[in-house]
Amino acid sequence: MSLNDARPRRVVNGGTSVNYGKEKPRDIVLGRNVHISCHEVTEPDADDEVTGEREAYMASVLARYRKSLLERTKHHLGYPYNLDLDYGALSQLQRFSINNLGDPFIESNYGVHSRQFEVGVLDWFARLWELEKNEYLGYITNCGTEGNLHGILVGREVFPDGILYASCESHYSIFKAARMYRMDCEKVNTLLSGEIDCEDFKAKLSLHKDKPAIINVNIVKGAVDDLDLVIRTLEDTGFAHDRFYIHCDGALFGLMMPFVKLAPKVTFKKPIGSVSVSGHKFVGCPMPCGVQITRLEHINALSRDVEYLASRDATIMGSRNGHAPLFLWYTLNRKGYGGFQKEVQKCLRNAHYLKGRLTSAGIGAMLNELSSTVVFERPQDEEFTRKWQLACQGSIAHVVVMPNITIDKLDDFVDELIERRVVWYGNGKLQSPCVAPDIGEDNCLCVLHK
Amino acid sequence: MSLNDARPRRVVNGGTSVNYGKEKPRDIVLGRNVHISCHEVTEPDADDEVTGEREAYMASVLARYRKSLLERTKHHLGYPYNLDLDYGALSQLQRFSINNLGDPFIESNYGVHSRQFEVGVLDWFARLWELEKNEYLGYITNCGTEGNLHGILVGREVFPDGILYASCESHYSIFKAARMYRMDCEKVNTLLSGEIDCEDFKAKLSLHKDKPAIINVNIVKGAVDDLDLVIRTLEDTGFAHDRFYIHCDGALFGLMMPFVKLAPKVTFKKPIGSVSVSGHKFVGCPMPCGVQITRLEHINALSRDVEYLASRDATIMGSRNGHAPLFLWYTLNRKGYGGFQKEVQKCLRNAHYLKGRLTSAGIGAMLNELSSTVVFERPQDEEFTRKWQLACQGSIAHVVVMPNITIDKLDDFVDELIERRVVWYGNGKLQSPCVAPDIGEDNCLCVLHK
């Protein structure tokens, strides 16, 4: 399995950090080209139009596929994707080739676009992060990785000789950007809580005082890098505001956090350069997408060397999916700030419910107060893990409680888990594993710790 | 307007090249943040759920939007997009969050994917370009730019100190890649026909004989870089096959060309490294997408420095749109090679028809034998140009005849153009412009040349 954006990166509680990026003895898959059983594209027979056989064949493939999607969607617990989609009102638009090519704010001659919706969505996010309409530039990206690639690129263009600093808990796309862009990169240690260790950050900054700093700040679920402390560390080390660029990787949690009481605040009132979040995670969208907001003043750095370009070059991609803005616009308009707040609260509540049910059943579990991710022992049976699409690492598994994860679904899951455990652990004859190193002694319910 | 992928880059005939990338006195748009009239996202009223007002408002916005999309789609002639979409059979899948995260050939724990369709599509393209199943790696990209970014990145990872060579007619994403990746880049002159000038290529290669060569070869509509001559030039200059990497930018024409008689052939039997084409252009797809095929042996270079990565890193993006493969699979299966061949022939035929109608009406027009793009005088009226979404440059405009452009539509267009010209040129009292510098004296029908 690739690490690509897919798995929640980290679950943190009680000073214990589980880092998916550091998983050790995993085989590096190089050069393997597995042709999984695929639906081959075959040449139609000459008489297919007459017999209708081709249409019938394809309809049956699609019907079976739809059935499997229903089943897979129903039993999904492990990824931070909201699978509760209700976009029937938009199906009338599927037949159009909607393309917002290039800059969202500059009209194209191509008329089949959705810029008027995209800009509405961008304004909403700019408002959320407190940047004025005429001071931001943003666009709807294809995924979180594109947002990170964009943010780090803007940082590099603002400071061509800048050093990239990112904690080792950062999403792998940050290090990928460093490699793609040929930037010098300093990996910064993390605290046990998973957030960036500003002592180590300071020490590494001090090594390169002559070079500007480009910093990736993680705002991922569980523990969040302390943005204020990062900024203070920069200042204390002698970096004036015109000598650093901060990109905030919001991924999933960047959108949940504004609605969580007591959570630290991401705002452009602080000296940050860009924020990106995923659109298909908490909001929910049939295809991956994301939102990228950057200070307008920095975008010009992207277009500085205009030899090859006769216009502002604000986006990484050229042709851009015009359907994603419609999905986001539709959901934001229906739910509003208020709706999201309710959903975040529901997720946190349901996550507490799950933790409660697990511990009542004698299964140790952990839940951070700002998170809706529940961590517990890894099921002994791979088939069970696959069925519920749990993300696992070492001896633990986790569930990300998204808005589509209902109490009923959690009950089904826990009931089945309890049932299976009887088989795995021989009705108490075998000991269930100790997971204290992963979730802390307080949370573990093994023989030793309960 | 941004140059992003949007406009056909070049129209070539009779030794005349029109380069959209070189358009001179265009204002560089920097820092402008035009808030076009957008559909704002507003907070729902507390009683919206009761009154249904919010739903009604959104339904009316969407109904108006759909109407405008219908009108814009009907009157579109200028971009190389096939807008004839018939994907009703797939609307049942819109409610699923389909994500092919990471590598198409490595299964993910996330079950709601469409890898089995993606791999079917990739196999089809690998077969088209004659690369064995177990020798390629590819994926379905978000657009042509991602394909080019990927191809050039693979080239750079294979030859970290390689020099990038690209003709000045190359798509701007190639030069963008050079900048992003901090590569040394040599712009190579073009012949009058628009294809790469291999004399100049040789001269520039000779300057850097000590460095490997990474070459972008254009396979765009109209004139196509002579791949065989490029390879011969490399060999003649002393570059062995293990000292160069060729990426073929197929854009629109890479998919039409295999079906055009006498067109030069792109195949992995020649020493090329990667090919990319757009999926939303000739095939037609509701959202932008593309296909990227690379020799498997080269992909490992991408994953060479695996410090940050525990798996093969084959794709630029992490989360990937799982719907696009379904659209491509559906169309390829329905049409097959045979269907595409018929459509290409229809496009060429209709393009000839358009040229014929224009010249009969005394309007000079040009059409390359391998192309379905018709070039003629720029309309005097911007409203008319916008209505038909013509791509214009200097004193000429053009129409790209795609499968959705019917004879009826072309008739409507020409009839309206003739009608308007009576107004613009006062029924012959004023002279229509000479466009010989753009389309050649043979094609121009101005007073001087007819």
Side-chain angles (χ1 to χ4, degrees):
Chain A
M1 170 179 161
S2 159
L3 279 180
N4 263 336
D5 207 15
R7 292 206 268 183
R9 277 163 279 180
R10 182 180 29 155
V11 184
V12 178
N13 192 28
T16 308
S17 162
V18 179
N19 179 4
Y20 287 88
K22 282 183 192 154
E23 201 171 330
K24 308 159 304 284
R26 193 190 305 157
D27 285 338
I28 308 291
V29 182
L30 290 178
R32 195 158 58 95
N33 191 354
V34 185
H35 262 78
I36 49 173
S37 73
C38 77
H39 295 302
E40 210 187 339
V41 175
T42 54
E43 194 64 9
D45 288 330
D47 61 351
D48 266 339
E49 268 183 52
V50 185
T51 64
E53 268 179 31
R54 169 65 42 139
E55 290 289 330
Y57 158 72
M58 289 170 65
S60 81
V61 170
L62 291 173
R64 267 181 288 131
Y65 179 56
R66 181 171 180 279
K67 213 173 139 194
S68 83
L69 289 180
L70 275 170
E71 188 277 326
R72 296 284 69 203
T73 296
K74 191 173 153 196
H75 290 108
H76 174 266
L77 291 177
Y79 290 75
Y81 304 151
N82 179 7
L83 302 188
D84 189 9
L85 307 185
D86 178 11
Y87 289 120
L90 297 179
S91 62
Q92 56 179 324
L93 306 178
Q94 196 206 47
R95 55 167 288 203
F96 298 105
S97 179
I98 311 180
N99 189 337
N100 290 356
L101 24 106
D103 194 309
F105 295 97
I106 299 176
E107 283 242 49
S108 155
N109 263 4
Y110 182 63
V112 188
H113 65 80
S114 63
R115 281 178 172 72
Q116 63 275 46
F117 295 91
E118 182 175 18
V119 172
V121 170
L122 295 172
D123 280 353
W124 190 89
F125 279 93
R127 213 156 55 231
L128 184 69
W129 296 321
E130 304 185 301
L131 194 53
E132 293 294 322
K133 276 190 190 186
N134 56 357
E135 289 178 4
Y136 86 86
L137 202 107
Y139 73 106
I140 294 181
T141 60
N142 287 298
C143 60
T145 291
E146 187 178 351
N148 286 338
L149 290 180
H150 191 272
I152 301 301
L153 183 61
V154 172
R156 194 201 70 176
E157 295 304 273
V158 170
F159 296 122
D161 63 337
I163 310 275
L164 176 62
Y165 300 86
S167 93
C168 48
E169 296 279 358
S170 302
H171 187 242
Y172 94 95
S173 60
I174 299 294
F175 302 108
K176 180 167 173 160
R179 181 175 173 176
M180 278 170 77
Y181 302 154
R182 293 186 155 165
M183 298 169 75
D184 288 327
C185 177
E186 282 283 3
K187 257 192 191 177
V188 181
N189 294 338
T190 46
L191 301 175
L192 285 176
S193 69
E195 69 182 87
I196 188 165
D197 174 357
C198 280
E199 281 304 310
D200 188 51
F201 178 40
K202 189 169 185 171
K204 286 187 171 140
L205 274 175
S206 302
L207 296 175
H208 311 283
K209 279 191 158 175
D210 55 326
K211 296 269 178 68
I214 297 157
I215 307 100
N216 177 65
V217 167
N218 294 315
I219 313 163
V220 294
K221 72 190 160 35
V224 173
D225 284 350
D226 187 335
L227 178 57
D228 296 323
L229 185 57
V230 165
I231 293 167
R232 213 157 53 238
T233 305
L234 282 157
E235 290 166 347
D236 290 352
T237 323
F239 283 78
H241 286 196
D242 62 355
R243 293 249 299 148
F244 65 81
Y245 180 96
I246 294 176
H247 169 69
C248 297
D249 173 11
L252 162 74
F253 202 61
L255 194 48
M256 290 181 76
M257 212 174 51
F259 306 105
V260 177
K261 282 173 204 155
L262 301 177
K265 192 165 176 180
V266 171
T267 165
F268 278 92
K269 293 196 168 151
K270 298 174 185 174
I272 61 173
S274 46
V275 182
S276 59
V277 292
S278 295
H280 58 293
K281 289 182 177 160
F282 191 73
V283 180
C285 185
M287 69 276 295
C289 63
V291 172
Q292 167 72 12
I293 299 281
T294 312
R295 276 185 209 278
L296 182 59
E297 57 183 293
H298 293 323
I299 286 291
N300 295 341
L302 270 189
S303 313
R304 203 167 36 198
D305 168 20
V306 288
E307 186 205 351
Y308 68 85
L309 195 69
S311 179
R312 183 168 71 184
D313 187 21
T315 64
I316 288 190
M317 294 305 161
S319 285
R320 293 191 305 106
N321 184 345
H323 291 269
L326 290 160
F327 291 115
L328 295 180
W329 179 87
Y330 186 77
T331 299
L332 295 184
N333 247 313
R334 281 181 73 193
K335 297 188 177 166
Y337 290 89
F340 282 113
Q341 193 151 29
K342 269 187 216 157
E343 290 205 330
V344 169
Q345 282 157 3
K346 192 181 80 177
C347 290
L348 296 177
R349 220 164 39 232
N350 289 355
H352 274 280
Y353 175 82
L354 172 60
K355 190 195 166 194
R357 278 225 51 195
L358 288 169
T359 49
S360 308
I363 304 166
M366 166 181 104
L367 171 65
N368 186 282
E369 60 173 326
L370 295 179
S371 154
S372 68
T373 300
V374 179
V375 184
F376 52 96
E377 60 177 49
R378 183 180 190 146
Q380 298 293 304
D381 179 347
E382 277 299 311
E383 194 195 318
F384 179 83
T385 301
R386 262 201 307 277
K387 173 178 173 185
W388 291 98
Q389 299 161 64
L390 305 175
C392 293
Q393 191 248 340
S395 51
I396 57 131
H398 63 246
V399 165
V400 187
V401 179
M402 286 281 101
N404 64 313
I405 310 292
T406 59
I407 292 285
D408 280 353
K409 192 174 286 185
L410 292 173
D411 279 339
D412 285 351
F413 168 72
V414 177
D415 291 346
E416 192 176 329
L417 179 62
I418 292 170
E419 210 172 277
R420 297 289 187 103
R421 282 179 103 245
V422 174
V423 181
W424 303 333
Y425 304 121
N427 210 0
K429 289 189 206 92
L430 295 171
Q431 277 172 29
S432 60
C434 169
V435 285
D438 295 302
I439 68 172
E441 293 186 6
D442 293 352
N443 293 310
C444 187
L445 293 177
C446 75
V447 179
L448 193 70
H449 295 113
K450 77 177 162 192
Chain B
M1 169 178 162
S2 158
L3 279 181
N4 263 336
D5 209 12
R7 291 208 269 183
R9 278 165 278 183
R10 182 179 30 154
V11 184
V12 178
N13 192 28
T16 308
S17 161
V18 179
N19 178 5
Y20 287 88
K22 282 184 192 153
E23 200 171 329
K24 305 163 305 284
R26 193 190 305 158
D27 285 337
I28 309 291
V29 182
L30 291 177
R32 195 157 59 94
N33 189 354
V34 185
H35 261 79
I36 49 172
S37 72
C38 76
H39 295 302
E40 211 185 340
V41 175
T42 55
E43 193 65 6
D45 289 330
D47 62 350
D48 266 339
E49 269 184 49
V50 186
T51 64
E53 269 180 30
R54 169 65 43 136
E55 290 290 330
Y57 158 74
M58 287 170 67
S60 81
V61 169
L62 291 173
R64 268 181 289 132
Y65 179 56
R66 181 171 180 279
K67 212 174 139 192
S68 84
L69 289 180
L70 274 171
E71 188 277 325
R72 295 282 70 202
T73 296
K74 190 173 154 195
H75 290 109
H76 173 267
L77 292 178
Y79 290 77
Y81 304 151
N82 179 7
L83 302 188
D84 190 8
L85 307 185
D86 178 11
Y87 289 120
L90 297 179
S91 62
Q92 57 180 325
L93 306 178
Q94 196 205 47
R95 55 166 289 203
F96 298 104
S97 180
I98 312 180
N99 190 338
N100 291 356
L101 23 105
D103 194 307
F105 295 96
I106 299 177
E107 284 242 51
S108 156
N109 263 3
Y110 182 63
V112 188
H113 66 77
S114 63
R115 280 177 174 72
Q116 62 275 47
F117 294 91
E118 182 174 18
V119 172
V121 170
L122 295 173
D123 280 352
W124 190 89
F125 279 94
R127 212 157 54 231
L128 184 69
W129 296 321
E130 305 184 302
L131 194 53
E132 293 295 321
K133 277 189 189 187
N134 57 356
E135 289 178 6
Y136 85 85
L137 203 107
Y139 73 105
I140 293 182
T141 60
N142 287 296
C143 61
T145 291
E146 188 178 351
N148 286 338
L149 290 181
H150 191 272
I152 301 301
L153 183 62
V154 172
R156 195 201 67 176
E157 295 304 273
V158 171
F159 296 122
D161 63 338
I163 309 276
L164 176 63
Y165 300 86
S167 93
C168 47
E169 295 280 356
S170 303
H171 187 242
Y172 94 95
S173 60
I174 298 295
F175 302 107
K176 180 166 172 162
R179 182 175 173 175
M180 279 170 78
Y181 302 154
R182 292 186 157 164
M183 298 170 77
D184 288 328
C185 177
E186 281 283 2
K187 257 192 190 177
V188 181
N189 294 338
T190 46
L191 300 175
L192 284 175
S193 69
E195 70 182 88
I196 188 166
D197 174 356
C198 280
E199 281 304 310
D200 188 51
F201 179 41
K202 188 168 186 174
K204 285 182 174 144
L205 275 174
S206 302
L207 296 175
H208 311 283
K209 279 191 160 177
D210 55 326
K211 297 271 178 66
I214 297 157
I215 307 100
N216 176 65
V217 167
N218 294 314
I219 313 164
V220 295
K221 72 188 161 36
V224 173
D225 285 351
D226 187 334
L227 177 57
D228 297 322
L229 186 57
V230 165
I231 293 167
R232 213 157 52 237
T233 304
L234 281 158
E235 291 166 345
D236 291 351
T237 322
F239 283 78
H241 287 197
D242 63 354
R243 292 250 300 147
F244 65 81
Y245 180 97
I246 294 176
H247 168 69
C248 299
D249 173 11
L252 163 73
F253 202 60
L255 194 48
M256 291 181 74
M257 212 173 51
F259 306 105
V260 177
K261 283 173 204 154
L262 303 177
K265 191 165 177 184
V266 171
T267 166
F268 277 91
K269 295 197 167 152
K270 299 174 183 173
I272 60 173
S274 47
V275 182
S276 60
V277 292
S278 295
H280 58 294
K281 289 182 177 161
F282 191 73
V283 179
C285 185
M287 68 277 293
C289 63
V291 172
Q292 168 72 12
I293 299 280
T294 311
R295 274 183 210 279
L296 181 59
E297 56 183 296
H298 294 323
I299 286 290
N300 294 341
L302 270 189
S303 312
R304 201 168 36 198
D305 168 19
V306 288
E307 186 204 353
Y308 67 85
L309 195 69
S311 178
R312 184 168 69 185
D313 187 20
T315 65
I316 288 190
M317 293 305 161
S319 284
R320 296 191 303 106
N321 184 346
H323 290 269
L326 290 160
F327 291 115
L328 294 181
W329 180 86
Y330 187 77
T331 299
L332 295 184
N333 248 313
R334 279 182 74 194
K335 296 186 178 168
Y337 290 89
F340 282 115
Q341 192 152 29
K342 268 187 215 156
E343 289 205 329
V344 169
Q345 282 157 3
K346 192 181 81 177
C347 290
L348 296 177
R349 221 163 40 231
N350 288 354
H352 274 280
Y353 176 81
L354 172 60
K355 189 196 168 194
R357 278 226 49 195
L358 288 169
T359 48
S360 308
I363 304 166
M366 167 181 103
L367 171 65
N368 185 282
E369 60 173 327
L370 296 179
S371 152
S372 68
T373 301
V374 179
V375 185
F376 52 95
E377 61 178 45
R378 182 181 194 146
Q380 297 295 302
D381 180 346
E382 275 301 310
E383 194 195 317
F384 179 83
T385 301
R386 262 201 306 277
K387 173 178 171 184
W388 290 96
Q389 299 162 65
L390 305 175
C392 294
Q393 191 247 340
S395 51
I396 57 131
H398 64 246
V399 165
V400 186
V401 179
M402 285 281 101
N404 65 314
I405 310 291
T406 59
I407 293 285
D408 280 353
K409 193 174 284 187
L410 292 173
D411 279 339
D412 284 351
F413 168 71
V414 176
D415 291 346
E416 193 177 327
L417 179 62
I418 292 170
E419 212 172 275
R420 296 288 187 103
R421 285 178 101 246
V422 174
V423 180
W424 301 333
Y425 303 121
N427 211 357
K429 288 188 207 91
L430 295 171
Q431 278 171 27
S432 59
C434 169
V435 284
D438 294 302
I439 68 172
E441 291 188 6
D442 292 351
N443 293 310
C444 185
L445 292 178
C446 76
V447 179
L448 194 68
H449 295 112
K450 78 177 162 192

